[in-house]
Amino acid sequence: MRKPTLEEVAIEAGVSKMTASRALRGSADVSKETRERVIEAATRMSYVGNRLALSLSSQRTNLVAVVVPSMSNIVFPEVLAGISAGLDGSGMQAVFGISDYDVAKERDIIRDMLSWQPCAIIVTGLDQPEETVKLLQHANIPVIQLMDLDGTPIDLNVGLSHGGAGEDMARALVGAGRRRFGYVGSALEKDLRAGKRKAGFERVLHSYGLHFVNQSVDDAFSSIALGKRLTLAMLAAVPDLDCIYYSNDDMASGGLFACMELGVAVPEKILIAGFNGLDLVNSLPAPIATSRSPRRAMGEVAAQLVRQAVAGAQDARQKTVVFKPVITGIDGYDDAPDEPETARLRP
Amino acid sequence: MRKPTLEEVAIEAGVSKMTASRALRGSADVSKETRERVIEAATRMSYVGNRLALSLSSQRTNLVAVVVPSMSNIVFPEVLAGISAGLDGSGMQAVFGISDYDVAKERDIIRDMLSWQPCAIIVTGLDQPEETVKLLQHANIPVIQLMDLDGTPIDLNVGLSHGGAGEDMARALVGAGRRRFGYVGSALEKDLRAGKRKAGFERVLHSYGLHFVNQSVDDAFSSIALGKRLTLAMLAAVPDLDCIYYSNDDMASGGLFACMELGVAVPEKILIAGFNGLDLVNSLPAPIATSRSPRRAMGEVAAQLVRQAVAGAQDARQKTVVFKPVITGIDGYDDAPDEPETARLRP
DNA sequence: TTGAAAGCGCTAACAG
DNA sequence: CTGTTAGCGCTTTCAA
């Protein structure tokens, strides 16, 4: 029992393939009566069109390929949700792939996705190796690099400067009077954006004649448990820190829990600073500093750009959309008007 | 500058389309010399095969369609990561869709995904309306219903009993001496599995002559912030509860933070119980009870079943794989051997 | 080991 | 308003 084809529906309805096709797609020039007969037949036979044939024939697809490094960190699913929502109603459909922070796997996934002839592709970050860049360029479709701005974009670019985010946070913390800094991170050789934040943070520290008094970086991926463990160890070795910068909010939350366990006052004695602005942070028993990254919004904006570019707007290529993260959780700092995370265009 | 086709590669290599096709796919019967010539040409031209044509022609695809209700709750991305990992090396590729807990949207997404002729489809839960079930059945491919067991499966079924999870948790808590129960949940009309857990919990309470002294259910989706807010309100109204059951760990964590803010001892005065066994729970400043649901494992097992079913194993249909969540965080209860979350087969 | 013919299920372009 | 013809780019099948 094979699935019915358009031809079978057409025969059932007593019309030609073409008329059936038009009726099903809601083309204007089909008599109401014919249309109803076709639709009735299709419904009765549980007809589902074959998109492979449709796309092959019409030379266009509704697929938007998306490649993210991980699903274990809530930030990427949030971006995907933004993309998916932003595509809603466009007739386009996002297809996701996971690279596990592995450049070779990323290349293979991108190659595989391109073979489905997507109408656009969205990848994470700007640090693809040359071979992958070539693949992307040869695809001849809009390419969006998402979440990061620190690098040279291929085509469209939507994100925030992680180096800048690290710098801003360092300035804010030094401005809040902190001087003895620790750093707790994880998987920096894989999560390049976390590395860029750290580098930016250190640039500013150095400009003030300061430095990380202690650093602890683990190979494992970030988690609350890891942040807690590394922080307990660090505070045992260097109890007199007054601020710890973490690779992200998961790690930072673990750091807070470590401080609570040790009876260290947060933020009075030690200020905890992370990155992302997770929902979690707003409910924690003590305030921690963070840069809010507009993850869902970045996904939605990327989806908008895809829609424009696919619609053929010629000015919808080679653009950069800049998001500016907002720092919260530092007393006397985030009194600044919480400006909406607006997107600025840079031609 | 269109993308090169197989034919163009063939001409470039001085062979026929067919030979080029065979060479590229690594078919045995192509002379080494010819093969190299073809591959060289393909590489030079950055040839990427057109899967639409491939699949249309060969009548098979490597697509596994997956529909989940949300990306905002970390449990679904974890399931997706499991599916994706479980499919690795099979040549199959997962395609994800988000239904936003909306049955109409779910139906549309399923219809759309089926039009891509996937070789299998994985959906969340067993509560699809009849129309969607029909769609799934007519697709004539392996259908996997994931995460829940409470209902009548269409084909393959992998998950755990949420009713049973609620019952087990209630038994454990009553066994731990708790008597005055509150319930805090959210979006129960959408998250049917949370509703099943609550119903199971209440069944057991009633069997002990107990009931929820107070209930608070919000329409919004679960979050730590919401759990905290509802708990603060509940404890203001009914301060003498000795246990609160939450719709999940996010809500429960918020509940813990509320108790900490109020200076209520957890778990001495109030025992907090959730569901999922999130990473977060293990690092919290006070122990809370939870049922660990093996999210990633469920995804991986689903992927295995897909591989078997697609490979044609006839006994790979109409099966159920039962997971049993493990309760942790109740003093004197989880001393029980932490048995690995094994999968039991039910023919 | 290679090639030619036919066709997968659909739509574009043209004709009636 | 409806039908016909010709592919889309690839694989299958059969023949050389």
Side-chain angles (χ1 to χ4, degrees):
Chain A
M1 189 201 80
R2 252 178 50 281
K3 280 181 286 181
T5 68
L6 179 62
E7 177 141 46
E8 291 164 329
V9 173
I11 291 172
E12 190 74 11
V15 296
S16 74
K17 248 172 29 168
M18 220 28 248
T19 303
S21 171
R22 286 196 265 255
L24 258 12
R25 279 182 297 163
S27 169
D29 32 35
V30 175
S31 79
K32 191 170 161 241
E33 189 184 73
T34 308
R35 181 199 316 292
E36 280 168 1
R37 201 144 33 86
V38 171
I39 289 178
E40 191 278 323
T43 309
R44 190 154 38 75
M45 302 168 77
S46 304
Y47 172 72
V48 177
N50 185 333
R51 261 222 133 77
L52 299 173
L54 190 164
S55 291
L56 180 60
S57 170
S58 65
Q59 301 282 64
R60 50 199 165 69
T61 63
N62 63 344
L63 249 35
V64 177
V66 184
V67 183
V68 294
S70 157
M71 284 291 203
S72 310
N73 188 326
I74 188 68
V75 307
F76 298 108
E78 284 178 357
V79 171
L80 297 182
I83 293 173
S84 186
L87 248 26
D88 250 13
S90 70
M92 286 186 256
Q93 159 78 44
V95 183
F96 310 130
I98 307 172
S99 72
D100 284 325
Y101 284 104
D102 179 326
V103 290
K105 196 165 177 187
E106 183 187 41
R107 174 193 11 85
D108 293 342
I109 289 179
I110 288 176
R111 195 198 303 285
D112 196 78
M113 294 207 145
L114 288 179
S115 75
W116 285 101
Q117 318 291 112
C119 59
I121 181 163
I122 302 176
V123 298
T124 307
L126 297 150
D127 301 292
Q128 288 78 19
E130 195 185 346
E131 188 187 353
T132 306
V133 170
K134 209 159 144 190
L135 214 51
L136 256 11
Q137 288 169 328
H138 274 280
N140 220 10
I141 53 176
V143 174
I144 300 194
Q145 289 167 296
L146 198 59
M147 305 197 71
D148 193 7
L149 297 175
D150 301 341
T152 309
I154 297 173
D155 180 11
L156 294 155
N157 189 196
V158 178
L160 56 90
S161 166
H162 288 265
E167 291 176 356
D168 289 346
M169 181 59 89
R171 264 184 226 107
L173 293 171
V174 172
R178 304 294 159 154
R179 291 299 178 270
R180 292 189 57 76
F181 290 92
Y183 179 80
V184 173
S186 76
L188 293 186
E189 69 295 341
K190 302 213 154 189
D191 185 352
L192 300 178
R193 286 171 290 286
K196 291 174 180 179
R197 294 194 292 274
K198 174 171 189 277
F201 197 99
E202 286 187 293
R203 277 197 299 277
V204 168
L205 283 194
H206 294 161
S207 77
Y208 283 103
L210 298 170
H211 63 280
F212 283 128
V213 176
N214 195 280
Q215 303 193 23
S216 176
V217 176
D218 197 279
D219 283 342
F221 285 115
S222 68
S223 71
I224 297 177
L226 179 59
K228 182 171 179 178
R229 185 161 64 73
L230 296 185
T231 303
L232 287 173
M234 181 174 286
L235 291 181
V238 193
D240 64 336
L241 299 173
D242 63 13
C243 184
I244 305 180
Y245 187 46
Y246 291 82
S247 50
N248 65 29
D249 284 349
D250 295 276
M251 298 291 285
S253 300
L256 168 62
F257 295 149
C259 289
M260 291 175 67
E261 197 167 301
L262 296 173
V264 174
V266 175
E268 294 77 11
K269 170 79 176 73
I270 293 190
L271 185 35
I272 302 275
F275 176 84
N276 266 333
L278 298 186
D279 168 46
L280 165 67
V281 168
N282 300 314
S283 306
L284 252 18
I288 72 179
T290 188
S291 316
R292 268 194 294 118
S293 71
R295 301 170 298 278
R296 190 182 170 94
M298 286 193 284
E300 286 173 346
V301 166
Q304 290 309 327
L305 288 187
V306 165
R307 297 173 76 147
Q308 291 169 19
V310 169
Q314 263 318 310
D315 64 332
R317 302 296 287 269
Q318 297 291 347
K319 282 202 303 195
T320 294
V321 178
V322 179
F323 280 90
K324 181 98 180 115
V326 175
I327 292 178
T328 63
I330 301 181
D331 215 38
Y333 183 91
D334 51 356
D335 296 341
D338 190 354
E339 57 178 293
E341 289 130 349
T342 53
R344 294 200 317 265
L345 283 185
R346 179 172 82 201
Chain B
M1 188 200 81
R2 251 179 50 281
K3 279 181 287 182
T5 68
L6 179 62
E7 178 141 45
E8 291 163 329
V9 172
I11 292 171
E12 189 75 12
V15 296
S16 75
K17 244 172 31 169
M18 228 16 259
T19 304
S21 170
R22 286 196 266 254
L24 259 11
R25 277 181 299 162
S27 169
D29 32 36
V30 176
S31 77
K32 192 171 161 241
E33 188 184 75
T34 309
R35 182 200 315 292
E36 279 167 2
R37 201 144 32 86
V38 171
I39 290 178
E40 190 278 324
T43 309
R44 189 155 37 75
M45 303 168 76
S46 304
Y47 171 72
V48 177
N50 185 332
R51 259 222 135 75
L52 299 173
L54 190 165
S55 291
L56 179 61
S57 170
S58 65
Q59 301 282 63
R60 53 202 162 67
T61 63
N62 63 344
L63 250 35
V64 177
V66 184
V67 184
V68 295
S70 157
M71 284 290 204
S72 311
N73 188 326
I74 188 66
V75 307
F76 298 109
E78 284 178 357
V79 171
L80 298 182
I83 293 173
S84 186
L87 248 27
D88 250 14
S90 69
M92 286 186 255
Q93 160 79 44
V95 183
F96 310 129
I98 307 172
S99 71
D100 284 326
Y101 285 105
D102 180 326
V103 289
K105 196 164 177 188
E106 182 187 41
R107 175 192 11 84
D108 292 343
I109 289 178
I110 288 176
R111 196 199 304 284
D112 196 79
M113 295 208 144
L114 288 179
S115 75
W116 285 101
Q117 319 290 113
C119 59
I121 182 164
I122 301 176
V123 299
T124 306
L126 297 149
D127 301 291
Q128 289 77 22
E130 195 185 348
E131 188 187 355
T132 306
V133 170
K134 210 159 143 189
L135 214 51
L136 256 11
Q137 287 170 328
H138 274 279
N140 220 10
I141 53 176
V143 174
I144 300 195
Q145 289 167 297
L146 198 58
M147 304 196 72
D148 194 7
L149 296 175
D150 302 339
T152 309
I154 296 173
D155 179 10
L156 294 155
N157 190 196
V158 178
L160 56 90
S161 166
H162 288 265
E167 291 177 357
D168 289 346
M169 181 58 90
R171 265 184 226 106
L173 293 171
V174 172
R178 305 293 158 155
R179 293 297 179 271
R180 293 190 55 77
F181 291 92
Y183 179 81
V184 172
S186 76
L188 293 186
E189 69 295 340
K190 303 212 155 190
D191 184 351
L192 300 178
R193 286 172 290 286
K196 290 175 180 178
R197 293 194 291 275
K198 175 171 189 276
F201 197 100
E202 286 187 294
R203 277 197 299 277
V204 168
L205 283 194
H206 293 161
S207 76
Y208 283 102
L210 298 169
H211 63 281
F212 283 127
V213 176
N214 196 280
Q215 302 192 26
S216 177
V217 176
D218 198 280
D219 283 341
F221 285 115
S222 69
S223 71
I224 297 178
L226 179 59
K228 182 172 179 177
R229 185 161 63 73
L230 295 185
T231 302
L232 286 173
M234 181 175 286
L235 290 181
V238 194
D240 63 337
L241 299 173
D242 62 15
C243 184
I244 305 181
Y245 188 46
Y246 291 82
S247 49
N248 64 28
D249 283 349
D250 295 275
M251 298 291 285
S253 299
L256 168 62
F257 295 149
C259 288
M260 291 175 68
E261 196 167 302
L262 295 173
V264 174
V266 175
E268 294 76 11
K269 171 79 176 73
I270 292 190
L271 185 35
I272 302 275
F275 177 85
N276 267 332
L278 298 186
D279 168 47
L280 165 67
V281 168
N282 300 313
S283 305
L284 252 18
I288 73 178
T290 188
S291 315
R292 269 194 295 118
S293 70
R295 301 170 297 279
R296 190 180 170 95
M298 286 193 286
E300 285 173 346
V301 166
Q304 290 309 327
L305 288 187
V306 165
R307 297 173 76 145
Q308 291 168 18
V310 168
Q314 263 318 309
D315 64 331
R317 303 296 287 270
Q318 296 291 346
K319 282 202 302 197
T320 295
V321 179
V322 179
F323 280 90
K324 181 99 180 119
V326 175
I327 293 179
T328 63
I330 302 182
D331 215 36
Y333 183 92
D334 50 354
D335 295 343
D338 190 355
E339 57 178 296
E341 287 131 349
T342 53
R344 294 200 319 264
L345 284 184
R346 181 171 80 201

